[in-house]
Structure formats: C-alpha cells, structure tokens
Amino acid sequence: MKIAIYPGSFDPITNGHVDIIKRGSKIFDKLYIALSNNVKKQSLFTLEERIELTKGAVANFANVEVIVSENKLTVDFAKSVGASIILRGLRAATDFEFEFTMAMINTKLNSEIETVFLTADNEYMYLSSSTTKEIAKFSGDVSNFVPKDVADALKAKFDD
Ligand code: ADP
C-alpha cells in the first residue's frame, strides 16, 4: 500500500493544488492532505476554515483525506500516518530551490521517506494562494483559480 502525504498551508486551496491532488490520488493508494500553519506566512483563513474548504474541494476523491499536522516535523508526521512519500507540486524554477532544499533536509532527517514532485499543469503554472488572495482583496474575479466555495469564502472574508 503506497501512502503519501501532501503537506502545505492551503491558505486557501486553489485549482492548482486540486490538480496535484487529483493526479496524486491516481498514483498513490492513499493520499493525506496534511494541513499546517506556515511559520513564515500569516494566514488569511483559520485552520478550521482551511480544513472545511479543503475537505469540500477534495470530496470527490475517495482515497484522499484531509488531516492536520501541527507542531511536528513533516517526516515525523508522515511516519505517524504510515506514509513513506511526501508529495509536492513544482510550478516554476522559483519553487525549485526551496523545494529541493526541503527534500534534501527531509531525506537527512528520515532516509526512508521520499519526496515526489509533480510538475504543475500548464494552466496552473502561474497560480498561487497569495496571488489569488491579492486579486480577491481588490474584488477581482477568482472563479477560474479556485473552487466555488473558496471563491465565496474569499469574497466573504474581504467583504467583512
Ligand atoms: P506551503 O505554504 O507549504 O508552501 P502551499 O499550500 O503554498 O504550502 O503549497 C503546497 C504545495 O503545493 C507546494 O509544494 C507548492 O509548490 C504546491 N503548489 C502550490 N500551488 C500550486 C500550483 N498552482 N500548481 C502546482 N503545485 C502547486
């Protein structure tokens, strides 16, 4: 049984994330989306809101489950759920250095856990949670970038 985790802050989940999850769900028997707070970024949505939105976006994938991984190293979290793979998405060269370093560090921390990268689909290459938030903040249309519930939640957040 090939079990993988897809860790991230998902603040909020975008169609780019969903694409990686869809493709990952075909490769692995079980895929856990491991939600955490990114220590380097102040999140817009609370953890509870991100759990709700992420669950809604992946409800159609039978072997995908959303879980929270707080205050734990990613490799330790992976091990705790029986996963031997960390799945990450790679957009452009700008993602590469950070992702490469993380993968190297994680291998040093636990050599039994492999990081597997899926390259972003052409259509989502430019897409990030941060860009989506900026567009929504200024009332731009994000309906092509995120699932409907997320677009509604962004609107509600910035209408507050
Ligand atoms: P983090 O805060 O840990 O970087 P994110 O939620 O921003 O978490 O991203 C989680 C993973 O999804 C990362 O590997 C990131 O590169 C990848 N990712 C983000 N946006 C896209 C996209 N549009 N297409 C493919 N992968 C993406």
Side-chain angles (χ1 to χ4, degrees), residues 45-62:
F45 290 100
T46 64
L47 189 59
E48 288 67 30
E49 288 169 331
R50 284 182 280 138
I51 294 169
E52 273 313 297
L53 293 172
T54 308
K55 278 188 177 168
V58 303
N60 287 339
F61 308 118

Side-chain angles (χ1 to χ4, degrees), residues 12-85:
I13 188 161
T14 68
N15 291 343
H17 292 127
V18 175
D19 177 63
I20 297 289
I21 293 162
K22 184 178 173 187
R23 288 154 62 202
S25 74
K26 291 184 194 151
I27 302 172
F28 307 113
D29 299 305
K30 176 92 196 179
L31 178 60
Y32 289 106
I33 305 178
L35 273 168
S36 62
N37 286 320
N38 186 325
V39 285
K40 286 185 239 131
K41 301 180 202 160
Q42 167 75 40
S43 71
L44 173 68
F45 290 100
T46 64
L47 189 59
E48 288 67 30
E49 288 169 331
R50 284 182 280 138
I51 294 169
E52 273 313 297
L53 293 172
T54 308
K55 278 188 177 168
V58 303
N60 287 339
F61 308 118
N63 61 342
V64 174
E65 200 176 318
V66 179
I67 47 177
V68 173
S69 103
E70 283 289 42
N71 305 319
K72 240 187 192 170
L73 287 172
T74 305
V75 284
D76 290 344
F77 185 73
K79 197 173 168 195
S80 74
V81 294
S84 56
I85 297 138

